[in-house]
mmCIF file of all heavy atoms in Angstrom:
data_model
loop_
_atom_site.group_PDB
_atom_site.id
_atom_site.type_symbol
_atom_site.label_atom_id
_atom_site.label_comp_id
_atom_site.label_asym_id
_atom_site.label_seq_id
_atom_site.Cartn_x
_atom_site.Cartn_y
_atom_site.Cartn_z
ATOM 1 N N GLY A 855 5.723 26.381 10.435
ATOM 2 C CA GLY A 855 4.710 25.224 10.322
ATOM 3 C C GLY A 855 4.379 25.116 8.900
ATOM 4 O O GLY A 855 4.977 25.587 7.997
ATOM 5 N N LEU A 856 3.292 24.398 8.715
ATOM 6 C CA LEU A 856 2.775 24.078 7.262
ATOM 7 C C LEU A 856 1.728 25.178 7.076
ATOM 8 O O LEU A 856 0.848 25.477 7.863
ATOM 9 C CB LEU A 856 2.224 22.759 7.239
ATOM 10 C CG LEU A 856 3.222 21.558 7.028
ATOM 11 C CD1 LEU A 856 4.062 21.286 8.213
ATOM 12 C CD2 LEU A 856 2.371 20.393 6.556
ATOM 13 N N ARG A 857 1.781 25.574 5.767
ATOM 14 C CA ARG A 857 0.678 26.517 5.393
ATOM 15 C C ARG A 857 0.064 25.977 4.140
ATOM 16 O O ARG A 857 0.636 25.511 3.202
ATOM 17 C CB ARG A 857 1.280 27.901 5.014
ATOM 18 C CG ARG A 857 1.775 28.665 6.315
ATOM 19 C CD ARG A 857 2.279 30.066 5.824
ATOM 20 N NE ARG A 857 3.550 30.077 5.041
ATOM 21 C CZ ARG A 857 4.068 30.943 4.482
ATOM 22 N NH1 ARG A 857 3.594 32.258 4.488
ATOM 23 N NH2 ARG A 857 5.184 30.737 3.752
ATOM 24 N N LEU A 858 -1.324 26.106 4.144
ATOM 25 C CA LEU A 858 -2.222 25.420 3.166
ATOM 26 C C LEU A 858 -2.214 26.299 1.817
ATOM 27 O O LEU A 858 -2.518 27.395 1.918
ATOM 28 C CB LEU A 858 -3.669 25.387 3.678
ATOM 29 C CG LEU A 858 -4.658 24.637 2.750
ATOM 30 C CD1 LEU A 858 -4.258 23.124 2.491
ATOM 31 C CD2 LEU A 858 -6.109 24.692 3.314
ATOM 32 N N ILE A 859 -1.866 25.589 0.727
ATOM 33 C CA ILE A 859 -1.810 26.341 -0.544
ATOM 34 C C ILE A 859 -3.152 26.184 -1.254
ATOM 35 O O ILE A 859 -3.764 27.217 -1.653
ATOM 36 C CB ILE A 859 -0.688 25.760 -1.480
ATOM 37 C CG1 ILE A 859 0.638 25.778 -0.709
ATOM 38 C CG2 ILE A 859 -0.580 26.571 -2.760
ATOM 39 C CD1 ILE A 859 1.841 25.196 -1.441
ATOM 40 N N HIS A 860 -3.573 24.961 -1.542
ATOM 41 C CA HIS A 860 -4.801 24.602 -2.311
ATOM 42 C C HIS A 860 -5.345 23.323 -1.688
ATOM 43 O O HIS A 860 -4.468 22.511 -1.139
ATOM 44 C CB HIS A 860 -4.601 24.478 -3.732
ATOM 45 C CG HIS A 860 -4.466 25.698 -4.567
ATOM 46 N ND1 HIS A 860 -5.431 26.593 -4.801
ATOM 47 C CD2 HIS A 860 -3.432 26.321 -5.129
ATOM 48 C CE1 HIS A 860 -4.998 27.659 -5.534
ATOM 49 N NE2 HIS A 860 -3.789 27.468 -5.711
ATOM 50 N N TYR A 861 -6.550 23.052 -1.883
ATOM 51 C CA TYR A 861 -7.153 21.741 -1.381
ATOM 52 C C TYR A 861 -8.246 21.432 -2.364
ATOM 53 O O TYR A 861 -8.775 22.251 -3.186
ATOM 54 C CB TYR A 861 -7.684 21.895 0.008
ATOM 55 C CG TYR A 861 -8.796 22.790 0.351
ATOM 56 C CD1 TYR A 861 -10.057 22.392 0.306
ATOM 57 C CD2 TYR A 861 -8.498 24.165 0.626
ATOM 58 C CE1 TYR A 861 -11.095 23.250 0.669
ATOM 59 C CE2 TYR A 861 -9.508 25.013 0.769
ATOM 60 C CZ TYR A 861 -10.885 24.589 0.791
ATOM 61 O OH TYR A 861 -11.875 25.537 1.264
ATOM 62 N N SER A 862 -8.759 20.170 -2.231
ATOM 63 C CA SER A 862 -9.843 19.684 -3.061
ATOM 64 C C SER A 862 -10.586 18.645 -2.305
ATOM 65 O O SER A 862 -10.098 17.823 -1.493
ATOM 66 C CB SER A 862 -9.090 18.857 -4.320
ATOM 67 O OG SER A 862 -10.088 18.218 -4.985
ATOM 68 N N VAL A 863 -11.839 18.779 -2.372
ATOM 69 C CA VAL A 863 -12.827 17.954 -1.643
ATOM 70 C C VAL A 863 -13.355 16.792 -2.488
ATOM 71 O O VAL A 863 -14.186 15.989 -2.109
ATOM 72 C CB VAL A 863 -14.097 18.716 -1.077
ATOM 73 C CG1 VAL A 863 -13.559 19.758 -0.056
ATOM 74 C CG2 VAL A 863 -14.920 19.364 -2.200
ATOM 75 N N GLY A 864 -12.985 16.770 -3.725
ATOM 76 C CA GLY A 864 -13.221 15.706 -4.657
ATOM 77 C C GLY A 864 -12.937 16.040 -6.051
ATOM 78 O O GLY A 864 -12.481 17.141 -6.327
ATOM 79 N N ALA A 865 -13.018 15.118 -6.930
ATOM 80 C CA ALA A 865 -12.569 15.300 -8.391
ATOM 81 C C ALA A 865 -13.497 16.351 -8.974
ATOM 82 O O ALA A 865 -14.672 16.433 -8.667
ATOM 83 C CB ALA A 865 -12.804 13.934 -9.214
ATOM 84 N N GLY A 866 -12.774 17.233 -9.566
ATOM 85 C CA GLY A 866 -13.443 18.365 -10.294
ATOM 86 C C GLY A 866 -13.644 19.638 -9.350
ATOM 87 O O GLY A 866 -14.167 20.739 -9.812
ATOM 88 N N ILE A 867 -13.198 19.498 -8.015
ATOM 89 C CA ILE A 867 -13.520 20.602 -7.079
ATOM 90 C C ILE A 867 -12.192 20.944 -6.393
ATOM 91 O O ILE A 867 -11.591 20.131 -5.768
ATOM 92 C CB ILE A 867 -14.556 20.084 -6.136
ATOM 93 C CG1 ILE A 867 -15.830 19.658 -6.691
ATOM 94 C CG2 ILE A 867 -14.860 21.340 -4.973
ATOM 95 C CD1 ILE A 867 -16.752 18.980 -5.637
ATOM 96 N N THR A 868 -11.760 22.256 -6.589
ATOM 97 C CA THR A 868 -10.584 22.771 -5.802
ATOM 98 C C THR A 868 -10.862 24.101 -5.251
ATOM 99 O O THR A 868 -11.861 24.845 -5.702
ATOM 100 C CB THR A 868 -9.425 22.945 -6.911
ATOM 101 O OG1 THR A 868 -9.645 23.871 -7.872
ATOM 102 C CG2 THR A 868 -9.100 21.643 -7.552
ATOM 103 N N ASP A 869 -10.150 24.520 -4.290
ATOM 104 C CA ASP A 869 -10.239 25.733 -3.665
ATOM 105 C C ASP A 869 -9.035 26.251 -3.106
ATOM 106 O O ASP A 869 -7.972 25.531 -2.898
ATOM 107 C CB ASP A 869 -11.315 25.710 -2.505
ATOM 108 C CG ASP A 869 -11.991 26.984 -2.260
ATOM 109 O OD1 ASP A 869 -11.528 28.062 -2.766
ATOM 110 O OD2 ASP A 869 -13.060 27.045 -1.498
ATOM 111 N N GLN A 870 -8.915 27.487 -2.776
ATOM 112 C CA GLN A 870 -7.657 28.126 -2.331
ATOM 113 C C GLN A 870 -7.475 28.035 -0.855
ATOM 114 O O GLN A 870 -8.424 28.111 -0.085
ATOM 115 C CB GLN A 870 -7.611 29.709 -2.741
ATOM 116 C CG GLN A 870 -7.634 29.905 -4.208
ATOM 117 C CD GLN A 870 -7.684 31.413 -4.573
ATOM 118 O OE1 GLN A 870 -7.746 32.291 -3.625
ATOM 119 N NE2 GLN A 870 -7.398 31.735 -5.853
ATOM 120 N N GLY A 871 -6.252 27.916 -0.386
ATOM 121 C CA GLY A 871 -5.845 27.970 0.976
ATOM 122 C C GLY A 871 -5.386 29.267 1.472
ATOM 123 O O GLY A 871 -5.793 30.332 0.848
ATOM 124 N N GLU A 872 -4.494 29.229 2.303
ATOM 125 C CA GLU A 872 -3.907 30.479 2.981
ATOM 126 C C GLU A 872 -2.904 31.201 1.965
ATOM 127 O O GLU A 872 -3.004 32.426 1.951
ATOM 128 C CB GLU A 872 -3.144 30.095 4.224
ATOM 129 C CG GLU A 872 -2.636 31.326 4.965
ATOM 130 C CD GLU A 872 -1.836 30.837 6.206
ATOM 131 O OE1 GLU A 872 -1.842 29.578 6.548
ATOM 132 O OE2 GLU A 872 -1.284 31.611 6.800
ATOM 133 N N VAL A 873 -2.168 30.358 1.257
ATOM 134 C CA VAL A 873 -1.157 31.042 0.270
ATOM 135 C C VAL A 873 -1.202 30.538 -1.089
ATOM 136 O O VAL A 873 -0.274 29.895 -1.575
ATOM 137 C CB VAL A 873 0.243 30.761 1.027
ATOM 138 C CG1 VAL A 873 0.559 31.492 2.229
ATOM 139 C CG2 VAL A 873 0.482 29.267 1.278
ATOM 140 N N PRO A 874 -2.221 30.867 -1.827
ATOM 141 C CA PRO A 874 -2.430 30.261 -3.138
ATOM 142 C C PRO A 874 -1.702 30.978 -4.274
ATOM 143 O O PRO A 874 -1.531 30.388 -5.353
ATOM 144 C CB PRO A 874 -3.861 30.402 -3.405
ATOM 145 C CG PRO A 874 -4.279 31.726 -2.597
ATOM 146 C CD PRO A 874 -3.304 31.693 -1.422
ATOM 147 N N ASN A 875 -1.271 32.176 -4.071
ATOM 148 C CA ASN A 875 -0.656 33.049 -5.152
ATOM 149 C C ASN A 875 0.572 32.287 -5.757
ATOM 150 O O ASN A 875 1.528 31.986 -5.034
ATOM 151 C CB ASN A 875 -0.387 34.402 -4.744
ATOM 152 C CG ASN A 875 -1.608 35.236 -4.357
ATOM 153 O OD1 ASN A 875 -2.670 34.652 -4.810
ATOM 154 N ND2 ASN A 875 -1.355 36.208 -3.590
ATOM 155 N N GLY A 876 0.592 32.219 -7.111
ATOM 156 C CA GLY A 876 1.623 31.604 -7.786
ATOM 157 C C GLY A 876 1.620 30.144 -8.079
ATOM 158 O O GLY A 876 2.355 29.472 -8.604
ATOM 159 N N TYR A 877 0.480 29.605 -7.546
ATOM 160 C CA TYR A 877 0.339 28.116 -7.769
ATOM 161 C C TYR A 877 -1.065 27.903 -8.316
ATOM 162 O O TYR A 877 -2.125 28.542 -8.098
ATOM 163 C CB TYR A 877 0.367 27.352 -6.435
ATOM 164 C CG TYR A 877 1.447 27.696 -5.573
ATOM 165 C CD1 TYR A 877 1.491 28.741 -4.577
ATOM 166 C CD2 TYR A 877 2.720 26.945 -5.734
ATOM 167 C CE1 TYR A 877 2.548 28.981 -3.876
ATOM 168 C CE2 TYR A 877 3.815 27.242 -4.893
ATOM 169 C CZ TYR A 877 3.712 28.256 -3.931
ATOM 170 O OH TYR A 877 4.756 28.526 -3.144
ATOM 171 N N ASN A 878 -1.158 26.814 -9.231
ATOM 172 C CA ASN A 878 -2.389 26.276 -9.637
ATOM 173 C C ASN A 878 -2.489 24.879 -9.334
ATOM 174 O O ASN A 878 -1.638 24.097 -9.304
ATOM 175 C CB ASN A 878 -2.379 26.457 -11.262
ATOM 176 C CG ASN A 878 -3.059 27.839 -11.669
ATOM 177 O OD1 ASN A 878 -3.371 28.631 -10.760
ATOM 178 N ND2 ASN A 878 -3.102 28.029 -12.963
ATOM 179 N N VAL A 879 -3.856 24.451 -9.352
ATOM 180 C CA VAL A 879 -4.077 22.920 -9.078
ATOM 181 C C VAL A 879 -5.280 22.544 -9.997
ATOM 182 O O VAL A 879 -5.995 23.348 -10.356
ATOM 183 C CB VAL A 879 -4.363 22.582 -7.683
ATOM 184 C CG1 VAL A 879 -3.157 22.747 -6.721
ATOM 185 C CG2 VAL A 879 -5.550 23.455 -7.217
ATOM 186 N N SER A 880 -5.294 21.214 -10.178
ATOM 187 C CA SER A 880 -6.522 20.662 -10.835
ATOM 188 C C SER A 880 -6.766 19.310 -10.175
ATOM 189 O O SER A 880 -5.857 18.677 -9.625
ATOM 190 C CB SER A 880 -6.424 20.632 -12.331
ATOM 191 O OG SER A 880 -5.114 19.780 -12.698
ATOM 192 N N ARG A 881 -8.076 18.803 -10.353
ATOM 193 C CA ARG A 881 -8.291 17.366 -9.764
ATOM 194 C C ARG A 881 -9.178 16.809 -10.757
ATOM 195 O O ARG A 881 -10.360 16.851 -10.661
ATOM 196 C CB ARG A 881 -9.017 17.580 -8.380
ATOM 197 C CG ARG A 881 -9.150 16.268 -7.793
ATOM 198 C CD ARG A 881 -8.133 15.861 -6.706
ATOM 199 N NE ARG A 881 -8.334 14.700 -6.009
ATOM 200 C CZ ARG A 881 -9.096 14.571 -4.892
ATOM 201 N NH1 ARG A 881 -9.650 15.639 -4.366
ATOM 202 N NH2 ARG A 881 -9.139 13.374 -4.386
ATOM 203 N N SER A 882 -8.639 16.028 -11.685
ATOM 204 C CA SER A 882 -9.319 15.389 -12.815
ATOM 205 C C SER A 882 -9.746 13.917 -12.266
ATOM 206 O O SER A 882 -10.755 13.359 -12.777
ATOM 207 C CB SER A 882 -8.641 15.338 -14.121
ATOM 208 O OG SER A 882 -7.296 14.667 -13.926
ATOM 209 N N THR A 883 -8.930 13.401 -11.308
ATOM 210 C CA THR A 883 -9.239 12.059 -10.838
ATOM 211 C C THR A 883 -9.215 12.116 -9.365
ATOM 212 O O THR A 883 -8.561 13.016 -8.720
ATOM 213 C CB THR A 883 -8.344 11.030 -11.442
ATOM 214 O OG1 THR A 883 -7.060 11.351 -10.807
ATOM 215 C CG2 THR A 883 -8.415 11.014 -12.770
ATOM 216 N N THR A 884 -9.816 11.133 -8.702
ATOM 217 C CA THR A 884 -9.704 11.063 -7.148
ATOM 218 C C THR A 884 -8.220 10.817 -6.803
ATOM 219 O O THR A 884 -7.825 11.328 -5.811
ATOM 220 C CB THR A 884 -10.537 9.947 -6.738
ATOM 221 O OG1 THR A 884 -11.995 10.111 -7.068
ATOM 222 C CG2 THR A 884 -10.537 9.744 -5.239
#
Side-chain angles (χ1 to χ4, degrees):
Chain A
L856 275 73
R857 292 182 292 169
L858 182 65
I859 304 171
H860 285 285
Y861 64 98
S862 169
V863 298
I867 306 169
T868 63
D869 206 346
Q870 297 181 348
E872 180 185 357
V873 288
N875 292 341
Y877 308 95
N878 272 359
V879 292
S880 60
R881 185 98 179 269
S882 57
T883 66
T884 300

